[in-house]
Amino acid sequence: MAVITEPPGSNLSAQQVKRERKQQFKIAGRAYLWLLPILISMAAIVYYPLIYGIVLSFTNANQDNIALHLGSTTLPATYKFVGFQNYIDIIQSWFTPGSDGAHILLQTLIWIVANIVLHFVISLGLALILNRKMRFRAIYRVLLMVPWAMPQYVSAFGWLFLFNQQYGFIDVALQSMHLPIIPWASDPNWALVSVIVVNVWLGIPFTTVTLLGGLQSVPTEMYEASAIDGATRWQALRFITLPMLRPIAFLVTLLDVIWTFNAFSIIYLITQGGPFNRTQTLVTYAWVQAIQGKQLFGVGGAYGVIILVILLIFTFFYSRLLRANETVY
């Protein structure tokens, strides 16, 4: 009768596999243990407020009907579920001519487009200059980072002084040249220009440094070959520099749109949304609805969800466009 025996070393290999799996579980357990404080912090700081805000966006919660804790006495919340009514009211206001919602939507579009275009055009010009060999280039690069390294509230207060109609440097200089002063604070159009100028000044360093890194990755042999073929600087920029910068430019633009859309401190510190709400964007107006006035927490939550959805949709389609361009080029 034949006896089937296991090949030698089979038990040893099985035990070795078991030990390796156990070791992998230990390593993964330690990794998750180190990540646990971060996950708890993210849950408390980000995810809980996000979920709570989404829940409130479907209610009529405000300062009069939320739960109050007065010492040992607790007044229960009396707000009610209203479904999508807050969202419907917000979207309807966007398409109502002359309403604050229509103005704020238009101002948001102007704010984003103006900042993105100026950031990219000015930053590309500075990056092209700094990419060339010149004296004190390292010093120029350091000076370029000053606006980005400076706290935003310091920059805002500095520009606020420059925009002062009585003592600001800009209007004083205009008066000395017998030119009319600019009503930065009282004219809605100039107020919007003022916050765009400050935000452009703050955003240029990051965009410039990122594009400069992209320029430095372009092989110099391509420019040398184009020069031999008789290409002009404009042709080299159009057919070499810009196509090679395309992936970096797409990424920078995506980040810039998100940051500009969510910008709050510059508008709040310089104009506080005025005059007559003509420098409000969706982000600042959401804060006004949720914090100021009647403290409409439900409406503010709905604005927050709408902003989140807009950015997610934009990121999705922009990422698909980026992948399509990478495939082509």
Side-chain angles (χ1 to χ4, degrees):
M1 180 174 171
V3 178
I4 301 176
T5 59
E6 295 182 356
S10 61
N11 291 334
L12 181 62
S13 62
Q15 293 177 0
Q16 186 177 358
V17 170
K18 186 181 294 185
R19 284 197 300 268
E20 289 179 355
R21 289 180 178 176
K22 188 176 181 180
Q23 186 67 21
Q24 290 176 356
F25 282 129
K26 286 183 179 180
I27 294 173
R30 292 194 190 100
Y32 283 112
L33 185 62
W34 284 107
L35 289 174
L36 188 60
I38 299 175
L39 295 175
I40 294 175
S41 300
M42 290 288 292
I45 298 174
V46 177
Y47 299 120
Y48 173 73
L50 175 62
I51 295 172
Y52 187 59
I54 293 174
V55 172
L56 286 181
S57 69
F58 294 100
T59 68
N60 63 346
N62 56 51
Q63 65 176 350
D64 298 326
N65 55 26
I66 61 171
L68 294 177
H69 302 280
L70 303 174
S72 59
T73 304
T74 300
L75 300 178
T78 57
Y79 56 80
K80 299 178 180 180
F81 177 79
V82 295
F84 290 93
Q85 189 60 47
N86 292 329
Y87 296 93
I88 294 172
D89 293 341
I90 292 171
I91 295 174
Q92 282 182 345
S93 68
W94 292 352
F95 299 98
T96 303
S99 65
D100 282 342
H103 282 294
I104 289 165
L105 182 62
L106 177 61
Q107 288 154 197
T108 303
L109 294 175
I110 295 173
W111 165 260
I112 294 174
V113 173
N115 277 285
I116 301 306
V117 171
L118 292 175
H119 278 162
F120 186 81
V121 172
I122 298 174
S123 298
L124 180 60
L126 291 174
L128 290 171
I129 294 173
L130 293 175
N131 194 42
R132 303 175 61 183
K133 293 182 179 180
M134 64 176 70
R135 297 181 61 185
F136 310 115
R137 184 170 62 174
I139 297 177
Y140 296 147
R141 292 180 179 180
V142 172
L143 292 176
L144 179 67
M145 299 304 296
V146 170
W148 198 36
M150 188 179 300
Q152 286 194 358
Y153 73 91
V154 176
S155 302
F157 289 147
W159 279 97
L160 193 60
F161 177 76
L162 292 176
F163 292 142
N164 188 282
Q165 292 182 214
Q166 292 183 344
Y167 309 106
F169 174 79
I170 299 175
D171 283 347
V172 169
L174 291 174
Q175 285 180 334
S176 65
M177 292 184 289
H178 304 287
L179 296 174
I181 63 173
I182 299 175
W184 300 104
S186 57
D187 185 88
N189 295 325
W190 281 111
L192 185 59
V193 169
S194 67
V195 291
I196 291 175
V197 167
V198 178
N199 197 68
V200 168
W201 184 76
L202 288 171
I204 283 176
F206 171 77
T207 312
T208 302
V209 170
T210 307
L211 293 177
L212 181 59
L215 287 174
Q216 292 176 343
S217 66
V218 179
T220 56
E221 293 81 4
M222 299 181 68
Y223 294 110
E224 294 171 357
S226 66
I228 294 174
D229 292 337
T232 62
R233 289 186 177 180
W234 166 250
Q235 290 173 329
L237 174 66
R238 181 181 176 184
F239 296 107
I240 298 177
T241 304
L242 293 181
M244 295 295 291
L245 277 180
R246 192 180 298 272
I248 297 294
F250 268 81
L251 178 61
V252 167
T253 304
L254 174 61
L255 295 175
D256 202 8
V257 168
I258 294 174
W259 291 338
T260 302
F261 200 108
N262 287 320
F264 172 82
S265 58
I266 295 302
I267 295 176
Y268 177 75
L269 292 172
I270 292 181
T271 64
Q272 296 184 356
F276 313 113
N277 287 332
R278 289 302 178 259
T279 57
Q280 299 277 16
T281 63
L282 290 177
V283 172
T284 59
Y285 196 66
W287 182 86
V288 168
Q289 293 294 307
I291 305 301
Q292 289 184 337
K294 296 181 179 179
Q295 298 183 352
L296 305 175
F297 304 120
V299 177
Y303 267 105
V305 174
I306 290 174
I307 292 168
L308 176 62
V309 171
I310 291 174
L311 290 177
L312 288 176
I313 293 174
F314 172 80
T315 303
F316 173 75
F317 286 104
Y318 197 83
S319 299
R320 288 176 61 90
L321 182 62
L322 174 59
R323 288 196 296 269
N325 278 271
E326 287 178 348
T327 303
V328 173
Y329 289 91

